Amino acid sequence: MGRKLDPTRKEKRGPGRKARKQRGAEVELARFLPPVEEQVSPQKEKHAVKAAGQTARGRSGFSDGNSKWLAPAKAKKIQPKGNHVELSSDGEVEESSWEMEEEEDGSSEEMVDDYGASSSEEEELLPIEKAALKQKSDREGLSEDDSEEEEEEEAEETNKQKMGQKEEEGPDLQLNLDIDEQFKLPTSEEIEKEDILFISPPDLHVIHQRIQGNVEVLQDFGVKREEGRSRQEYLTLLRRDMAAYYSYSDFLLTKLMDIFPLPELINFLEANEVPRPVTIRTNTLKTRRRDLAQALINRGVNLDPLGKWSKTGLVIYDSTVPIGATPEYLAGHYMLQGASSLLPVMALAPQENERILDMCCAPGGKTSYIAQLMKNTGMILANDSSAERLRSVVGNLHRLGVTNAVVSNCDGRQFPKVLGGFDRVLLDAPCSGTGVISKDPAVKTNKDEKDILRCAHLQKELILSAIDSVNAASETGGYIVYCTCSIMVEENECVVDYALKKRNVRLVATGLDFGKEGFTRFKDRRFHPSLKSTRRFYPHTHNMDGFFIAKFKKFSNAIPQAKKEPAVEAAAPSTVPDTITEPPPKKKKLEGSKADKEQKLPQPALKKKRSFQAQRRPLKA
């Protein structure tokens, strides 16, 4: 069959592989053989024309600039009957006669080169075919060149327009950068206008940029401050902007600005806008962490170990099933519990066969963790003042398989009189919740000074009751762990310092390798130096809820006597719950007054009174 010509093919090709390989042999052979002209028979020429489907054309080459790569490929052909070689005008063998003779011989097999690879038909085009391809490509190239030139012109125009836009935008961007670098306080008139505009939603992007610029100025106030402006003006504007941007009350922001440096305060506020990771605690009373992790992974849960500091915690990234309703959860293999809630129990370090009091136990996560560390030995008294919250405690203890717990509903402040002599006490005191703002955003606005002082007063009463409930003579214990989910100094360091002054206790190391040290001085207050052993945890540094932990060691059951004046003691009777209450002395005074009256009465009157009392007794019976 003849070669098929694809007229739409526009690729420009050079000589084929055979021509490239055999060119050197042609030159060598042309040196030794005499030039012999062999005329091509008309039959051969017709055969070649019929094979190509084209009219016969001259073979003297091409006159345009592409003659080098459009020239016919050179090949070597050794005649079987004689040494007759057809040479071109430049002394090389013409490929046309070589291919025509090959076709005349009737060889339909493809030629195979030295490496065994067959030459493709596309690389072995006849000169007539190449001339036809060139002619068509020249015709189509004119229209294509025109279209290509138009496209190039359009592309250049668009590029020029883009460059012009960039040049126009460049000065604006530089001006914006200059404005950002040079932060200036707004005037009172601008602030009043913003207050009027705050009726509608404020522009948070502008406020955020102003917060960043203000913080930069306050960090290097001596250099970047505006002349004639005080630091207090910058702080007032910053507090106002942060209150608008993060939706905090002015009171709470003032408290937070006293606790944190400005850059750390921004990180704390940003961390409160993001929820903490979901964490679970493995119940080792029923399973192992490795087995639980494998079971949850098989259900489509993506998890990792919580950290090197915890042997039971797992952090959940995402899940295809609800974590609080899996068969493993219902079987009590794990407990949904925050990472920060594991730390107080680890600091308490309960031992087997001990008597432990959990004074504020709801919803039962810490109680069940204590039970699993004790391996269901000893006794745990789980107490809470709310009867409704105790329902969740009972349900969790049953689900998790805790058998060494006793649940009670008592006021923690009266607990030393109810029951005492415990080896260890855990007090997770009720607090303002400023460490768990990510869980309860309402704390941003619904807390004021009275709430903080009310919580601090209750915490002082509870910590004294917890210390009095511990037996200092315990062989293995005598420890109290006080913790809150608040970061306020009034609820943490102030309460701990108060307990150190009122009871025979001292602070010891919590046993936790991480966490920030507690404050030993805050504003105008000075605390005991041992408060360095307390630990603070923040959401922006430890990626867990804000928490405070302190661990006491009781070294004497005796209550130190107050050295203050009696008038001062009467003014604050609630600070020491074990002092003698007022009703018993009143009864004694009444009894004493009756005895004095009887002594003053004469003997006959006494006899009449006693006889009258004797007559009334049978009536009562």
Side-chain angles (χ1 to χ4, degrees):
M1 296 178 64
R3 292 178 173 84
K4 296 180 180 179
L5 179 63
D6 187 3
T8 61
R9 192 171 187 84
K10 304 171 185 176
E11 293 184 5
K12 300 178 182 180
R13 292 184 171 274
R17 283 183 294 178
K18 287 199 300 182
R20 289 197 301 269
K21 289 179 178 293
Q22 297 175 354
R23 182 173 297 173
E26 294 170 1
V27 176
E28 294 290 334
L29 189 61
R31 293 178 182 178
F32 297 100
L33 295 178
V36 178
E37 294 183 0
E38 182 178 351
Q39 295 181 355
V40 180
S41 62
Q43 295 178 355
K44 293 180 180 180
E45 187 173 0
K46 288 180 181 179
H47 186 75
V49 169
K50 188 183 293 183
Q54 302 287 341
T55 58
R57 298 178 66 88
R59 297 181 179 82
S60 61
F62 302 96
S63 61
D64 60 352
N66 297 327
S67 59
K68 291 184 179 180
W69 62 272
L70 284 176
K74 282 70 179 178
K76 179 180 72 174
K77 179 71 172 81
I78 300 175
Q79 300 291 341
K81 294 183 181 181
N83 297 333
H84 300 285
V85 179
E86 182 178 354
L87 298 177
S88 62
S89 60
D90 56 352
E92 294 184 353
V93 183
E94 283 195 353
E95 188 181 359
S96 59
S97 62
W98 184 83
E99 291 185 353
M100 284 188 289
E101 289 179 1
E102 181 184 5
E103 291 178 4
E104 186 181 6
D105 294 339
S107 59
S108 61
E109 298 178 359
E110 293 183 351
M111 292 296 295
V112 180
D113 58 11
D114 297 338
Y115 295 95
S118 60
S119 60
S120 61
E121 294 180 356
E122 296 176 357
E123 295 178 353
E124 298 180 294
L125 296 177
L126 291 172
I128 299 174
E129 298 177 65
K130 294 178 180 179
L133 289 175
K134 179 186 177 301
Q135 192 175 16
K136 290 187 177 181
S137 63
D138 291 339
R139 292 174 183 173
E140 296 176 356
L142 295 174
S143 60
E144 290 180 358
D145 292 340
D146 295 339
S147 61
E148 288 178 358
E149 289 177 359
E150 292 177 358
E151 292 177 357
E152 290 178 358
E153 290 177 359
E154 292 178 358
E156 289 178 359
E157 291 178 359
T158 54
N159 290 333
K160 289 179 180 179
Q161 291 177 358
K162 291 180 179 179
M163 292 297 293
Q165 291 177 357
K166 290 181 179 179
E167 290 176 357
E168 291 176 359
E169 292 175 357
D172 296 338
L173 294 175
Q174 291 178 357
L175 290 175
N176 291 335
L177 291 174
D178 295 338
I179 291 171
D180 292 340
E181 290 177 358
Q182 298 175 358
F183 175 76
K184 293 184 179 180
L185 283 175
T187 61
S188 58
E189 296 178 355
E190 294 175 354
I191 293 175
E192 289 178 0
K193 290 181 181 179
E194 288 184 1
D195 291 337
I196 296 172
L197 294 175
F198 271 3
I199 299 173
S200 60
D203 189 355
L204 296 180
H205 181 67
V206 174
I207 294 176
H208 184 62
Q209 286 184 343
R210 194 160 61 192
I211 289 173
Q212 290 180 341
N214 202 338
V215 171
E216 290 179 0
V217 172
L218 289 171
Q219 285 179 338
D220 193 3
F221 188 72
V223 177
K224 297 183 179 181
R225 74 186 184 95
E226 188 178 351
E227 293 183 1
R229 295 299 184 99
S230 63
R231 187 181 186 89
Q232 189 62 35
E233 293 179 1
Y234 282 89
L235 291 175
T236 303
L237 178 64
L238 179 64
R239 184 169 61 250
R240 177 178 172 276
D241 288 341
M242 288 192 297
Y245 188 78
Y246 296 103
S247 303
Y248 280 78
S249 64
D250 188 69
F251 161 76
L252 188 56
L253 271 178
T254 304
K255 289 288 187 182
L256 295 176
M257 291 175 73
D258 293 338
I259 295 174
F260 297 108
L262 289 179
E264 191 175 359
L265 174 61
I266 301 297
N267 295 334
F268 175 77
L269 297 178
E270 291 288 348
N272 287 335
E273 303 300 318
V274 182
R276 304 277 74 76
V278 178
T279 56
I280 61 175
R281 173 182 55 82
T282 307
N283 182 19
T284 55
L285 296 175
K286 291 190 174 184
T287 185
R288 296 184 303 173
R289 185 169 70 168
R290 181 184 304 173
D291 299 337
L292 174 64
Q294 188 61 47
L296 293 178
I297 289 172
N298 294 338
R299 295 191 184 278
V301 180
N302 185 12
L303 52 82
D304 269 333
L306 181 56
K308 295 181 179 180
W309 55 271
S310 175
K311 296 181 180 179
T312 59
L314 292 170
V315 57
I316 307 296
Y317 297 115
D318 56 4
S319 174
T320 58
V321 295
I323 296 298
T326 61
E328 287 79 14
Y329 177 82
L330 299 176
H333 289 184
Y334 64 89
M335 175 80 176
L336 280 168
Q337 192 170 1
S340 57
S341 298
L342 305 178
L343 302 174
V345 180
M346 296 173 62
L348 186 65
Q351 306 298 317
E352 297 181 15
N353 300 313
E354 284 186 340
R355 297 173 72 246
I356 294 180
L357 169 63
D358 189 357
M359 190 170 282
C360 304
C361 65
K366 299 180 182 66
T367 305
S368 57
Y369 192 17
I370 293 172
Q372 82 176 40
L373 291 179
M374 295 173 66
K375 299 179 181 178
N376 264 341
T377 61
M379 190 273 291
I380 303 172
L381 185 59
N383 178 74
D384 200 273
S385 59
S386 175
E388 295 181 357
R389 299 188 70 191
L390 283 175
R391 297 177 183 176
S392 61
V393 176
V394 174
N396 285 324
L397 294 181
H398 281 297
R399 181 176 60 85
L400 297 169
V402 176
T403 59
N404 64 340
V406 178
V407 180
S408 66
N409 179 23
C410 297
D411 188 356
R413 293 171 289 185
Q414 304 297 328
F415 221 84
K417 300 175 183 178
V418 176
L419 189 63
F422 292 96
D423 297 314
R424 298 170 194 260
V425 174
L426 174 62
L427 174 58
D428 186 5
C431 61
S432 60
T434 52
V436 290
I437 296 177
S438 60
K439 292 181 180 178
D440 185 13
V443 178
K444 294 179 179 180
T445 55
N446 64 2
K447 300 297 179 184
D448 56 5
E449 186 71 27
K450 293 182 180 179
D451 295 324
I452 303 297
L453 295 178
R454 189 183 301 112
C455 289
H457 181 71
L458 176 61
Q459 290 158 356
K460 290 176 181 178
E461 293 180 328
L462 288 172
I463 196 170
L464 293 182
S465 300
I467 294 172
D468 294 337
S469 301
V470 173
N471 181 17
S474 173
E475 296 179 357
T476 59
Y479 294 100
I480 306 98
V481 170
Y482 171 79
C483 60
T484 64
C485 55
S486 173
I487 60 172
M488 295 288 107
V489 176
E490 291 83 359
E491 300 179 71
N492 297 326
E493 282 85 356
C494 291
V495 176
V496 172
D497 191 66
Y498 173 82
L500 292 174
K501 295 176 180 177
K502 292 293 182 180
R503 294 294 185 268
N504 292 322
V505 292
R506 63 173 180 270
L507 285 171
V508 295
T510 58
L512 303 173
D513 298 334
F514 63 103
K516 293 191 174 182
E517 295 181 354
F519 294 108
T520 56
R521 52 187 300 172
F522 180 74
K523 298 178 72 174
D524 57 345
R525 299 178 182 176
R526 300 295 179 267
F527 303 120
H528 197 273
S530 61
L531 263 79
K532 287 185 178 180
S533 60
T534 61
R535 287 291 176 266
R536 282 176 162 264
F537 301 91
Y538 298 121
H540 62 283
T541 54
H542 307 100
N543 199 17
M544 60 178 65
D545 294 328
F547 229 74
F548 175 82
I549 298 175
K551 186 175 182 179
F552 297 91
K553 169 67 175 175
K554 187 176 182 179
F555 56 86
S556 175
N557 289 326
I559 298 175
Q561 297 293 330
K563 298 180 180 179
K564 296 182 180 179
E565 297 179 358
V568 179
E569 291 180 1
S574 61
T575 56
V576 183
D578 288 344
T579 55
I580 300 173
T581 56
E582 293 180 0
K586 288 182 180 179
K587 292 181 180 178
K588 290 180 180 178
K589 289 180 181 178
L590 291 173
E591 291 174 357
S593 62
K594 290 180 181 179
D596 295 339
K597 288 181 180 179
E598 289 179 355
Q599 291 177 0
K600 292 179 181 179
L601 290 174
Q603 291 182 356
L606 287 173
K607 289 180 180 180
K608 289 181 180 180
K609 189 174 181 179
R610 288 171 182 173
S611 63
F612 180 73
Q613 290 177 354
Q615 290 176 1
R616 291 182 61 185
R617 285 174 187 171
L619 292 174
K620 288 183 179 181

